[in-house]
Amino acid sequence: MNTSLRWLRASVLTITAALVLGACAGSTEPVADATGDADAATDVPDEGTEDALEGAWPVTIAATNGDVTVVGRPQRIVSLSAASTEILFAIGAGEQVIAVDDQSNHPPEAPATDLAAFTPNVEAILEFEPDLVFTSFDPGDLVSGLEAAGVTTIVHDAPATLDGAYAQIEQVGAVTGNLAGAAEVVATMQSDIEAIVGEVQAADATYYHELDNTYYSVTSTTFIGEIYGLLGLTSIADGADGAEFGFPQLSNEYIVEADPTFVFLADTKCCSVTADSVAERPGWDQLTAVQQGRVVELDDDVVSRWGPRIVEFLRTVADAVAQYEPAS
């Protein structure tokens, strides 16, 4: 199964509410919780400066698995989430990371291991003697098993909005003692995203985003859907059966009938799907996107993670939209 789809399926089981605006790291406002609720504050002192917040312990955040308290700066972090791995290294916490899972392939310097991301084993994780573990979901006994062994565990599932992603980055900064780095990452992402959106005229058009070659897709209400929405694009999956869950499985016939303006393929790595191969599917040679060369091959990994490389995903979509000339 596509890596992107496995992460998203696991995450959607634990998403219980839409994410809302997260407070900016480094201010005197509380850092938002994992569901974006700024009222559920990260428990940090309010001396009023970033320097005071760096290294202030204990720190409590409201993560997906509830309130989690980190009593001191972690020195042996294990990441079982590819998104968390990218965030940790981006904010300057890389030196604190001693092991990452078998799906964490970015950045190259991340200490990759054979720890299973989708079927995590508590005993295997404990062999690394971690003092903090990040994961994107709890299969049922991971968090309890680690906490029984005295290991603090933070679950950060897939956010539903960009603001939720920013909030998670700020939380990672807070619990690792890298608030300034997290604030810088968020500010840069916001600035880059604003610039990209400002460069491109929004397209009143539709898209099909393919998670895998069995036609699982995303709706406009998902995190990925928000990225497309910044550029005026609407998912054809919004009206499909199962759309209320955000990741419905479409059919070949549904896609052909919907005739999306753009097709974005997020299964190029997992399933070797290409613009040429989809053109050979039944009826796809009649799709407007195929006929007019608007089938875009994406990097599965970049699209499925909610760290700093969100900007790369948006840039790819923006480049496609910039070349779009609607029929008059």
Side-chain angles (χ1 to χ4, degrees), residues 8 207 209 211 216-220 222 224-225 228 235 237-238 246-248:
L8 291 168
Y207 69 91
H209 179 98
L211 286 171
Y216 273 95
S217 190
V218 301
T219 67
S220 298
T222 61
I224 293 174
Y228 287 115
S235 174
D238 290 351
F247 307 101

Side-chain angles (χ1 to χ4, degrees), residues 136-211:
S136 66
F137 74 109
D138 183 5
D141 56 1
L142 174 64
V143 174
S144 60
L146 289 172
E147 292 186 346
V151 179
T152 303
T153 306
I154 294 173
V155 180
H156 271 162
D157 66 4
T161 67
L162 270 170
D163 288 327
Y166 298 148
Q168 284 193 12
I169 294 170
E170 292 165 354
Q171 284 196 339
V172 176
V175 299
T176 63
N178 293 277
L179 274 170
E184 181 178 357
V185 167
V186 169
T188 299
M189 290 173 65
Q190 292 173 325
S191 176
D192 290 347
I193 287 172
E194 182 179 1
I196 292 170
V197 172
E199 293 169 1
V200 180
Q201 182 175 352
D204 183 12
T206 60
Y207 69 91
Y208 164 60
H209 179 98
E210 182 165 293
L211 286 171

Side-chain angles (χ1 to χ4, degrees), residues 215 252 273-287 290 295:
Y215 305 131
N252 189 79
V273 176
T274 66
D276 289 338
S277 68
V278 298
E280 298 175 358
R281 294 173 176 174
W284 281 55
D285 59 337
Q286 299 302 309
L287 287 183
V290 172
V295 179

Side-chain angles (χ1 to χ4, degrees), residues 87-137:
I87 292 169
L88 285 161
F89 278 82
I91 69 173
E95 292 184 355
Q96 297 161 258
V97 179
I98 59 165
V100 301
D101 66 276
D102 57 359
Q103 300 298 313
S104 291
N105 55 9
H106 184 85
E109 61 267 28
T113 70
D114 59 359
L115 288 174
F118 304 124
T119 56
N121 179 277
V122 173
E123 288 73 21
I125 297 166
L126 292 176
E127 289 182 5
F128 289 93
E129 300 181 353
D131 50 19
L132 180 63
V133 172
F134 285 92
T135 181
S136 66
F137 74 109

Side-chain angles (χ1 to χ4, degrees), residues 285-298:
D285 59 337
Q286 299 302 309
L287 287 183
T288 300
V290 172
Q291 292 181 348
Q292 299 187 6
R294 290 197 292 270
V295 179
V296 182
E297 298 174 1
L298 302 172

